[in-house]
Amino acid sequence: MSNQPYTKLAERAAGIEMLLLDVDGVMTDGLITLDNNGIESKSFHVRDGMGITLWNKAGKNTAIITGRNSSVVELRAQELGITCIRQGIENKLMEMTSLLPEFQITTDQVCYIGDDIPDLPVLEKVGLSVAVADSSPAIHHSVDWLTQNPGGRGAVREVIDFILQVQGHDLTTLYSCDQSQPIS
């Protein structure tokens, strides 16, 4: 399950208040599809969306920092209630550091999920660092946890479920409250 023993992961997860996500290779499988007109498409897993919805219902913060710009990311973030979206970011660590005061949290309260070398500076600074199962081996030595699920195939949900359960949240109770909101 992880690079660290369960107890150590649970300790790190206990104080997490923000989920910070890369997109390509984390929220998606990393494939970028362009049609003949240059229109980009990406695939997002519905269970990851449900996880983010449960995370939000638990009163937690979610943010995206990605190196690419994509209107598809804006649309998916809007569907999931993610209002903090930073696209086209070359220096993810500087961007994360600049947004923390807005949420009144510290790096120790951030869980970052990444998949490749541009994520490394952030992974090395946050309270809980996670790489998806099919991430670049170049970052594996720097993370607390390597998920069982690959990017775009439930890895985000895997992390959310673990953190929320460690923090004492009942996922079915979170799901059942306020059914008026879209869930995935």
Side-chain angles (χ1 to χ4, degrees), residues 53-87:
T53 299
L54 294 171
W55 183 258
N56 293 340
K57 286 184 176 190
K60 306 293 185 176
N61 299 302
T62 310
I64 290 172
I65 296 180
T66 181
R68 298 189 75 247
N69 287 298
S70 173
S71 58
V72 175
V73 172
E74 291 280 340
L75 178 61
R76 185 61 175 151
Q78 182 180 11
E79 288 176 345
L80 297 174
I82 302 171
T83 57
C84 184
I85 308 145
R86 305 291 197 269
Q87 296 195 73

PDB file of all heavy atoms in Angstrom, residues 53-87:
ATOM      1  N   THR A  53     -16.204  14.618  -4.451  1.00  0.00           N
ATOM      2  CA  THR A  53     -17.480  15.089  -3.915  1.00  0.00           C
ATOM      3  C   THR A  53     -17.585  14.777  -2.424  1.00  0.00           C
ATOM      4  O   THR A  53     -17.991  15.626  -1.624  1.00  0.00           O
ATOM      5  CB  THR A  53     -18.658  14.463  -4.692  1.00  0.00           C
ATOM      6  OG1 THR A  53     -18.551  14.857  -6.059  1.00  0.00           O
ATOM      7  CG2 THR A  53     -19.994  14.909  -4.136  1.00  0.00           C
ATOM      8  N   LEU A  54     -17.213  13.570  -2.028  1.00  0.00           N
ATOM      9  CA  LEU A  54     -17.229  13.202  -0.610  1.00  0.00           C
ATOM     10  C   LEU A  54     -16.250  14.066   0.182  1.00  0.00           C
ATOM     11  O   LEU A  54     -16.548  14.512   1.293  1.00  0.00           O
ATOM     12  CB  LEU A  54     -16.885  11.720  -0.437  1.00  0.00           C
ATOM     13  CG  LEU A  54     -17.891  10.721  -1.002  1.00  0.00           C
ATOM     14  CD1 LEU A  54     -17.326   9.305  -0.964  1.00  0.00           C
ATOM     15  CD2 LEU A  54     -19.221  10.806  -0.268  1.00  0.00           C
ATOM     16  N   TRP A  55     -15.084  14.313  -0.380  1.00  0.00           N
ATOM     17  CA  TRP A  55     -14.065  15.166   0.245  1.00  0.00           C
ATOM     18  C   TRP A  55     -14.644  16.557   0.508  1.00  0.00           C
ATOM     19  O   TRP A  55     -14.511  17.102   1.601  1.00  0.00           O
ATOM     20  CB  TRP A  55     -12.846  15.232  -0.672  1.00  0.00           C
ATOM     21  CG  TRP A  55     -11.690  15.995  -0.156  1.00  0.00           C
ATOM     22  CD1 TRP A  55     -11.328  17.265  -0.509  1.00  0.00           C
ATOM     23  CD2 TRP A  55     -10.712  15.565   0.787  1.00  0.00           C
ATOM     24  NE1 TRP A  55     -10.185  17.642   0.148  1.00  0.00           N
ATOM     25  CE2 TRP A  55      -9.785  16.610   0.953  1.00  0.00           C
ATOM     26  CE3 TRP A  55     -10.534  14.392   1.509  1.00  0.00           C
ATOM     27  CZ2 TRP A  55      -8.699  16.519   1.812  1.00  0.00           C
ATOM     28  CZ3 TRP A  55      -9.452  14.292   2.359  1.00  0.00           C
ATOM     29  CH2 TRP A  55      -8.557  15.346   2.507  1.00  0.00           C
ATOM     30  N   ASN A  56     -15.287  17.109  -0.502  1.00  0.00           N
ATOM     31  CA  ASN A  56     -15.899  18.432  -0.357  1.00  0.00           C
ATOM     32  C   ASN A  56     -16.998  18.421   0.696  1.00  0.00           C
ATOM     33  O   ASN A  56     -17.118  19.353   1.496  1.00  0.00           O
ATOM     34  CB  ASN A  56     -16.451  18.924  -1.696  1.00  0.00           C
ATOM     35  CG  ASN A  56     -15.355  19.193  -2.716  1.00  0.00           C
ATOM     36  OD1 ASN A  56     -14.188  19.379  -2.381  1.00  0.00           O
ATOM     37  ND2 ASN A  56     -15.738  19.198  -3.985  1.00  0.00           N
ATOM     38  N   LYS A  57     -17.804  17.363   0.717  1.00  0.00           N
ATOM     39  CA  LYS A  57     -18.880  17.251   1.709  1.00  0.00           C
ATOM     40  C   LYS A  57     -18.335  17.147   3.127  1.00  0.00           C
ATOM     41  O   LYS A  57     -19.006  17.517   4.086  1.00  0.00           O
ATOM     42  CB  LYS A  57     -19.787  16.056   1.399  1.00  0.00           C
ATOM     43  CG  LYS A  57     -20.707  16.298   0.222  1.00  0.00           C
ATOM     44  CD  LYS A  57     -21.637  15.123   0.015  1.00  0.00           C
ATOM     45  CE  LYS A  57     -22.618  15.419  -1.096  1.00  0.00           C
ATOM     46  NZ  LYS A  57     -23.687  14.408  -1.157  1.00  0.00           N
ATOM     47  N   ALA A  58     -17.112  16.648   3.250  1.00  0.00           N
ATOM     48  CA  ALA A  58     -16.466  16.566   4.564  1.00  0.00           C
ATOM     49  C   ALA A  58     -15.903  17.916   4.993  1.00  0.00           C
ATOM     50  O   ALA A  58     -15.326  18.029   6.070  1.00  0.00           O
ATOM     51  CB  ALA A  58     -15.362  15.510   4.543  1.00  0.00           C
ATOM     52  N   GLY A  59     -16.078  18.933   4.143  1.00  0.00           N
ATOM     53  CA  GLY A  59     -15.611  20.274   4.486  1.00  0.00           C
ATOM     54  C   GLY A  59     -14.151  20.518   4.178  1.00  0.00           C
ATOM     55  O   GLY A  59     -13.546  21.465   4.689  1.00  0.00           O
ATOM     56  N   LYS A  60     -13.588  19.688   3.335  1.00  0.00           N
ATOM     57  CA  LYS A  60     -12.173  19.804   2.975  1.00  0.00           C
ATOM     58  C   LYS A  60     -11.999  20.658   1.719  1.00  0.00           C
ATOM     59  O   LYS A  60     -12.939  20.888   0.970  1.00  0.00           O
ATOM     60  CB  LYS A  60     -11.571  18.414   2.728  1.00  0.00           C
ATOM     61  CG  LYS A  60     -11.770  17.438   3.866  1.00  0.00           C
ATOM     62  CD  LYS A  60     -11.013  17.855   5.092  1.00  0.00           C
ATOM     63  CE  LYS A  60     -11.138  16.795   6.181  1.00  0.00           C
ATOM     64  NZ  LYS A  60     -10.350  17.126   7.350  1.00  0.00           N
ATOM     65  N   ASN A  61     -10.775  21.096   1.500  1.00  0.00           N
ATOM     66  CA  ASN A  61     -10.434  21.919   0.335  1.00  0.00           C
ATOM     67  C   ASN A  61      -9.802  21.059  -0.756  1.00  0.00           C
ATOM     68  O   ASN A  61      -9.057  20.135  -0.457  1.00  0.00           O
ATOM     69  CB  ASN A  61      -9.432  23.002   0.735  1.00  0.00           C
ATOM     70  CG  ASN A  61      -9.988  23.927   1.782  1.00  0.00           C
ATOM     71  OD1 ASN A  61     -11.008  24.564   1.584  1.00  0.00           O
ATOM     72  ND2 ASN A  61      -9.327  23.990   2.927  1.00  0.00           N
ATOM     73  N   THR A  62     -10.099  21.417  -1.993  1.00  0.00           N
ATOM     74  CA  THR A  62      -9.511  20.747  -3.148  1.00  0.00           C
ATOM     75  C   THR A  62      -8.978  21.802  -4.094  1.00  0.00           C
ATOM     76  O   THR A  62      -9.635  22.816  -4.338  1.00  0.00           O
ATOM     77  CB  THR A  62     -10.558  19.898  -3.899  1.00  0.00           C
ATOM     78  OG1 THR A  62     -11.252  19.063  -2.969  1.00  0.00           O
ATOM     79  CG2 THR A  62      -9.914  19.050  -4.974  1.00  0.00           C
ATOM     80  N   ALA A  63      -7.786  21.563  -4.631  1.00  0.00           N
ATOM     81  CA  ALA A  63      -7.196  22.476  -5.602  1.00  0.00           C
ATOM     82  C   ALA A  63      -6.458  21.667  -6.667  1.00  0.00           C
ATOM     83  O   ALA A  63      -6.032  20.541  -6.421  1.00  0.00           O
ATOM     84  CB  ALA A  63      -6.245  23.447  -4.921  1.00  0.00           C
ATOM     85  N   ILE A  64      -6.339  22.268  -7.827  1.00  0.00           N
ATOM     86  CA  ILE A  64      -5.629  21.659  -8.955  1.00  0.00           C
ATOM     87  C   ILE A  64      -4.470  22.568  -9.332  1.00  0.00           C
ATOM     88  O   ILE A  64      -4.649  23.789  -9.463  1.00  0.00           O
ATOM     89  CB  ILE A  64      -6.585  21.494 -10.161  1.00  0.00           C
ATOM     90  CG1 ILE A  64      -7.631  20.426  -9.877  1.00  0.00           C
ATOM     91  CG2 ILE A  64      -5.803  21.194 -11.437  1.00  0.00           C
ATOM     92  CD1 ILE A  64      -8.721  20.330 -10.942  1.00  0.00           C
ATOM     93  N   ILE A  65      -3.305  21.960  -9.526  1.00  0.00           N
ATOM     94  CA  ILE A  65      -2.160  22.657 -10.110  1.00  0.00           C
ATOM     95  C   ILE A  65      -1.632  21.765 -11.224  1.00  0.00           C
ATOM     96  O   ILE A  65      -1.218  20.631 -10.976  1.00  0.00           O
ATOM     97  CB  ILE A  65      -1.041  22.925  -9.081  1.00  0.00           C
ATOM     98  CG1 ILE A  65      -1.525  23.861  -7.980  1.00  0.00           C
ATOM     99  CG2 ILE A  65       0.178  23.524  -9.784  1.00  0.00           C
ATOM    100  CD1 ILE A  65      -0.481  24.164  -6.922  1.00  0.00           C
ATOM    101  N   THR A  66      -1.668  22.274 -12.444  1.00  0.00           N
ATOM    102  CA  THR A  66      -1.256  21.475 -13.590  1.00  0.00           C
ATOM    103  C   THR A  66      -0.386  22.303 -14.533  1.00  0.00           C
ATOM    104  O   THR A  66      -0.547  23.521 -14.623  1.00  0.00           O
ATOM    105  CB  THR A  66      -2.489  20.906 -14.324  1.00  0.00           C
ATOM    106  OG1 THR A  66      -2.069  20.104 -15.426  1.00  0.00           O
ATOM    107  CG2 THR A  66      -3.424  21.997 -14.807  1.00  0.00           C
ATOM    108  N   GLY A  67       0.486  21.620 -15.211  1.00  0.00           N
ATOM    109  CA  GLY A  67       1.397  22.292 -16.125  1.00  0.00           C
ATOM    110  C   GLY A  67       0.773  22.662 -17.459  1.00  0.00           C
ATOM    111  O   GLY A  67       1.264  23.543 -18.153  1.00  0.00           O
ATOM    112  N   ARG A  68      -0.297  22.011 -17.818  1.00  0.00           N
ATOM    113  CA  ARG A  68      -0.947  22.284 -19.106  1.00  0.00           C
ATOM    114  C   ARG A  68      -2.181  23.153 -18.906  1.00  0.00           C
ATOM    115  O   ARG A  68      -2.714  23.232 -17.814  1.00  0.00           O
ATOM    116  CB  ARG A  68      -1.373  20.968 -19.775  1.00  0.00           C
ATOM    117  CG  ARG A  68      -0.166  20.080 -20.082  1.00  0.00           C
ATOM    118  CD  ARG A  68      -0.516  18.874 -20.923  1.00  0.00           C
ATOM    119  NE  ARG A  68      -0.721  19.307 -22.303  1.00  0.00           N
ATOM    120  CZ  ARG A  68      -1.892  19.269 -22.923  1.00  0.00           C
ATOM    121  NH1 ARG A  68      -2.963  18.826 -22.321  1.00  0.00           N
ATOM    122  NH2 ARG A  68      -1.986  19.665 -24.173  1.00  0.00           N
ATOM    123  N   ASN A  69      -2.643  23.766 -19.994  1.00  0.00           N
ATOM    124  CA  ASN A  69      -3.891  24.519 -20.008  1.00  0.00           C
ATOM    125  C   ASN A  69      -4.912  23.727 -20.809  1.00  0.00           C
ATOM    126  O   ASN A  69      -4.612  23.271 -21.915  1.00  0.00           O
ATOM    127  CB  ASN A  69      -3.699  25.889 -20.672  1.00  0.00           C
ATOM    128  CG  ASN A  69      -2.932  26.823 -19.797  1.00  0.00           C
ATOM    129  OD1 ASN A  69      -3.367  27.153 -18.710  1.00  0.00           O
ATOM    130  ND2 ASN A  69      -1.766  27.250 -20.259  1.00  0.00           N
ATOM    131  N   SER A  70      -6.103  23.569 -20.249  1.00  0.00           N
ATOM    132  CA  SER A  70      -7.134  22.803 -20.935  1.00  0.00           C
ATOM    133  C   SER A  70      -8.517  23.232 -20.466  1.00  0.00           C
ATOM    134  O   SER A  70      -8.793  23.251 -19.262  1.00  0.00           O
ATOM    135  CB  SER A  70      -6.930  21.311 -20.653  1.00  0.00           C
ATOM    136  OG  SER A  70      -7.993  20.559 -21.172  1.00  0.00           O
ATOM    137  N   SER A  71      -9.382  23.524 -21.412  1.00  0.00           N
ATOM    138  CA  SER A  71     -10.755  23.880 -21.055  1.00  0.00           C
ATOM    139  C   SER A  71     -11.493  22.679 -20.476  1.00  0.00           C
ATOM    140  O   SER A  71     -12.422  22.833 -19.683  1.00  0.00           O
ATOM    141  CB  SER A  71     -11.499  24.439 -22.273  1.00  0.00           C
ATOM    142  OG  SER A  71     -11.506  23.499 -23.326  1.00  0.00           O
ATOM    143  N   VAL A  72     -11.071  21.465 -20.836  1.00  0.00           N
ATOM    144  CA  VAL A  72     -11.688  20.257 -20.297  1.00  0.00           C
ATOM    145  C   VAL A  72     -11.470  20.195 -18.782  1.00  0.00           C
ATOM    146  O   VAL A  72     -12.362  19.793 -18.029  1.00  0.00           O
ATOM    147  CB  VAL A  72     -11.113  18.997 -20.991  1.00  0.00           C
ATOM    148  CG1 VAL A  72     -11.646  17.728 -20.366  1.00  0.00           C
ATOM    149  CG2 VAL A  72     -11.393  19.027 -22.475  1.00  0.00           C
ATOM    150  N   VAL A  73     -10.302  20.611 -18.328  1.00  0.00           N
ATOM    151  CA  VAL A  73     -10.000  20.615 -16.892  1.00  0.00           C
ATOM    152  C   VAL A  73     -10.903  21.613 -16.176  1.00  0.00           C
ATOM    153  O   VAL A  73     -11.438  21.325 -15.109  1.00  0.00           O
ATOM    154  CB  VAL A  73      -8.510  20.930 -16.642  1.00  0.00           C
ATOM    155  CG1 VAL A  73      -8.232  21.127 -15.162  1.00  0.00           C
ATOM    156  CG2 VAL A  73      -7.644  19.818 -17.213  1.00  0.00           C
ATOM    157  N   GLU A  74     -11.086  22.779 -16.762  1.00  0.00           N
ATOM    158  CA  GLU A  74     -11.989  23.782 -16.183  1.00  0.00           C
ATOM    159  C   GLU A  74     -13.394  23.211 -16.031  1.00  0.00           C
ATOM    160  O   GLU A  74     -14.036  23.371 -14.992  1.00  0.00           O
ATOM    161  CB  GLU A  74     -12.057  25.044 -17.058  1.00  0.00           C
ATOM    162  CG  GLU A  74     -10.802  25.862 -17.077  1.00  0.00           C
ATOM    163  CD  GLU A  74     -10.647  26.750 -15.853  1.00  0.00           C
ATOM    164  OE1 GLU A  74     -11.643  27.039 -15.171  1.00  0.00           O
ATOM    165  OE2 GLU A  74      -9.504  27.145 -15.588  1.00  0.00           O
ATOM    166  N   LEU A  75     -13.864  22.545 -17.063  1.00  0.00           N
ATOM    167  CA  LEU A  75     -15.217  21.973 -17.049  1.00  0.00           C
ATOM    168  C   LEU A  75     -15.343  20.899 -15.967  1.00  0.00           C
ATOM    169  O   LEU A  75     -16.293  20.918 -15.186  1.00  0.00           O
ATOM    170  CB  LEU A  75     -15.558  21.394 -18.420  1.00  0.00           C
ATOM    171  CG  LEU A  75     -16.915  20.726 -18.569  1.00  0.00           C
ATOM    172  CD1 LEU A  75     -18.041  21.716 -18.287  1.00  0.00           C
ATOM    173  CD2 LEU A  75     -17.064  20.140 -19.961  1.00  0.00           C
ATOM    174  N   ARG A  76     -14.386  19.984 -15.912  1.00  0.00           N
ATOM    175  CA  ARG A  76     -14.463  18.913 -14.909  1.00  0.00           C
ATOM    176  C   ARG A  76     -14.365  19.476 -13.498  1.00  0.00           C
ATOM    177  O   ARG A  76     -15.094  19.040 -12.598  1.00  0.00           O
ATOM    178  CB  ARG A  76     -13.354  17.870 -15.157  1.00  0.00           C
ATOM    179  CG  ARG A  76     -13.449  16.666 -14.238  1.00  0.00           C
ATOM    180  CD  ARG A  76     -14.755  15.916 -14.421  1.00  0.00           C
ATOM    181  NE  ARG A  76     -14.765  14.690 -13.611  1.00  0.00           N
ATOM    182  CZ  ARG A  76     -15.865  14.146 -13.128  1.00  0.00           C
ATOM    183  NH1 ARG A  76     -17.041  14.672 -13.377  1.00  0.00           N
ATOM    184  NH2 ARG A  76     -15.803  13.051 -12.406  1.00  0.00           N
ATOM    185  N   ALA A  77     -13.479  20.432 -13.295  1.00  0.00           N
ATOM    186  CA  ALA A  77     -13.348  21.057 -11.975  1.00  0.00           C
ATOM    187  C   ALA A  77     -14.657  21.717 -11.564  1.00  0.00           C
ATOM    188  O   ALA A  77     -15.096  21.594 -10.422  1.00  0.00           O
ATOM    189  CB  ALA A  77     -12.211  22.058 -11.976  1.00  0.00           C
ATOM    190  N   GLN A  78     -15.282  22.406 -12.484  1.00  0.00           N
ATOM    191  CA  GLN A  78     -16.563  23.061 -12.195  1.00  0.00           C
ATOM    192  C   GLN A  78     -17.613  22.028 -11.811  1.00  0.00           C
ATOM    193  O   GLN A  78     -18.351  22.215 -10.844  1.00  0.00           O
ATOM    194  CB  GLN A  78     -17.027  23.862 -13.412  1.00  0.00           C
ATOM    195  CG  GLN A  78     -18.306  24.612 -13.198  1.00  0.00           C
ATOM    196  CD  GLN A  78     -18.723  25.391 -14.442  1.00  0.00           C
ATOM    197  OE1 GLN A  78     -18.188  25.235 -15.531  1.00  0.00           O
ATOM    198  NE2 GLN A  78     -19.704  26.257 -14.264  1.00  0.00           N
ATOM    199  N   GLU A  79     -17.678  20.916 -12.529  1.00  0.00           N
ATOM    200  CA  GLU A  79     -18.633  19.847 -12.202  1.00  0.00           C
ATOM    201  C   GLU A  79     -18.425  19.324 -10.789  1.00  0.00           C
ATOM    202  O   GLU A  79     -19.383  18.946 -10.120  1.00  0.00           O
ATOM    203  CB  GLU A  79     -18.474  18.668 -13.172  1.00  0.00           C
ATOM    204  CG  GLU A  79     -18.962  18.905 -14.559  1.00  0.00           C
ATOM    205  CD  GLU A  79     -18.679  17.733 -15.481  1.00  0.00           C
ATOM    206  OE1 GLU A  79     -17.868  16.838 -15.144  1.00  0.00           O
ATOM    207  OE2 GLU A  79     -19.284  17.715 -16.565  1.00  0.00           O
ATOM    208  N   LEU A  80     -17.175  19.300 -10.346  1.00  0.00           N
ATOM    209  CA  LEU A  80     -16.839  18.728  -9.042  1.00  0.00           C
ATOM    210  C   LEU A  80     -16.775  19.758  -7.923  1.00  0.00           C
ATOM    211  O   LEU A  80     -16.470  19.414  -6.785  1.00  0.00           O
ATOM    212  CB  LEU A  80     -15.502  17.984  -9.133  1.00  0.00           C
ATOM    213  CG  LEU A  80     -15.491  16.783 -10.070  1.00  0.00           C
ATOM    214  CD1 LEU A  80     -14.082  16.222 -10.202  1.00  0.00           C
ATOM    215  CD2 LEU A  80     -16.470  15.720  -9.608  1.00  0.00           C
ATOM    216  N   GLY A  81     -17.056  21.008  -8.243  1.00  0.00           N
ATOM    217  CA  GLY A  81     -17.040  22.044  -7.218  1.00  0.00           C
ATOM    218  C   GLY A  81     -15.644  22.489  -6.807  1.00  0.00           C
ATOM    219  O   GLY A  81     -15.453  23.041  -5.731  1.00  0.00           O
ATOM    220  N   ILE A  82     -14.657  22.255  -7.660  1.00  0.00           N
ATOM    221  CA  ILE A  82     -13.292  22.698  -7.391  1.00  0.00           C
ATOM    222  C   ILE A  82     -13.144  24.105  -7.958  1.00  0.00           C
ATOM    223  O   ILE A  82     -13.228  24.302  -9.166  1.00  0.00           O
ATOM    224  CB  ILE A  82     -12.250  21.757  -8.029  1.00  0.00           C
ATOM    225  CG1 ILE A  82     -12.422  20.335  -7.518  1.00  0.00           C
ATOM    226  CG2 ILE A  82     -10.831  22.278  -7.761  1.00  0.00           C
ATOM    227  CD1 ILE A  82     -11.581  19.304  -8.260  1.00  0.00           C
ATOM    228  N   THR A  83     -12.934  25.066  -7.085  1.00  0.00           N
ATOM    229  CA  THR A  83     -12.844  26.458  -7.538  1.00  0.00           C
ATOM    230  C   THR A  83     -11.409  26.956  -7.667  1.00  0.00           C
ATOM    231  O   THR A  83     -11.161  27.956  -8.316  1.00  0.00           O
ATOM    232  CB  THR A  83     -13.610  27.392  -6.579  1.00  0.00           C
ATOM    233  OG1 THR A  83     -13.079  27.237  -5.264  1.00  0.00           O
ATOM    234  CG2 THR A  83     -15.100  27.053  -6.581  1.00  0.00           C
ATOM    235  N   CYS A  84     -10.478  26.266  -7.046  1.00  0.00           N
ATOM    236  CA  CYS A  84      -9.071  26.673  -7.104  1.00  0.00           C
ATOM    237  C   CYS A  84      -8.366  25.841  -8.172  1.00  0.00           C
ATOM    238  O   CYS A  84      -8.007  24.687  -7.942  1.00  0.00           O
ATOM    239  CB  CYS A  84      -8.399  26.502  -5.743  1.00  0.00           C
ATOM    240  SG  CYS A  84      -6.709  27.098  -5.721  1.00  0.00           S
ATOM    241  N   ILE A  85      -8.213  26.420  -9.358  1.00  0.00           N
ATOM    242  CA  ILE A  85      -7.609  25.734 -10.493  1.00  0.00           C
ATOM    243  C   ILE A  85      -6.476  26.602 -11.014  1.00  0.00           C
ATOM    244  O   ILE A  85      -6.701  27.747 -11.405  1.00  0.00           O
ATOM    245  CB  ILE A  85      -8.628  25.504 -11.622  1.00  0.00           C
ATOM    246  CG1 ILE A  85      -9.868  24.816 -11.071  1.00  0.00           C
ATOM    247  CG2 ILE A  85      -8.015  24.715 -12.762  1.00  0.00           C
ATOM    248  CD1 ILE A  85     -11.118  25.267 -11.749  1.00  0.00           C
ATOM    249  N   ARG A  86      -5.278  26.056 -11.021  1.00  0.00           N
ATOM    250  CA  ARG A  86      -4.118  26.765 -11.541  1.00  0.00           C
ATOM    251  C   ARG A  86      -3.565  25.946 -12.702  1.00  0.00           C
ATOM    252  O   ARG A  86      -3.051  24.857 -12.497  1.00  0.00           O
ATOM    253  CB  ARG A  86      -3.042  26.944 -10.461  1.00  0.00           C
ATOM    254  CG  ARG A  86      -3.531  27.620  -9.188  1.00  0.00           C
ATOM    255  CD  ARG A  86      -3.856  29.089  -9.434  1.00  0.00           C
ATOM    256  NE  ARG A  86      -3.944  29.843  -8.199  1.00  0.00           N
ATOM    257  CZ  ARG A  86      -5.041  30.031  -7.488  1.00  0.00           C
ATOM    258  NH1 ARG A  86      -6.166  29.488  -7.885  1.00  0.00           N
ATOM    259  NH2 ARG A  86      -5.022  30.760  -6.395  1.00  0.00           N
ATOM    260  N   GLN A  87      -3.669  26.485 -13.912  1.00  0.00           N
ATOM    261  CA  GLN A  87      -3.207  25.792 -15.114  1.00  0.00           C
ATOM    262  C   GLN A  87      -2.018  26.528 -15.733  1.00  0.00           C
ATOM    263  O   GLN A  87      -1.832  27.715 -15.526  1.00  0.00           O
ATOM    264  CB  GLN A  87      -4.332  25.690 -16.132  1.00  0.00           C
ATOM    265  CG  GLN A  87      -5.512  24.851 -15.650  1.00  0.00           C
ATOM    266  CD  GLN A  87      -6.431  24.466 -16.775  1.00  0.00           C
ATOM    267  OE1 GLN A  87      -6.084  23.615 -17.586  1.00  0.00           O
ATOM    268  NE2 GLN A  87      -7.607  25.074 -16.810  1.00  0.00           N
TER     269      GLN A  87
END
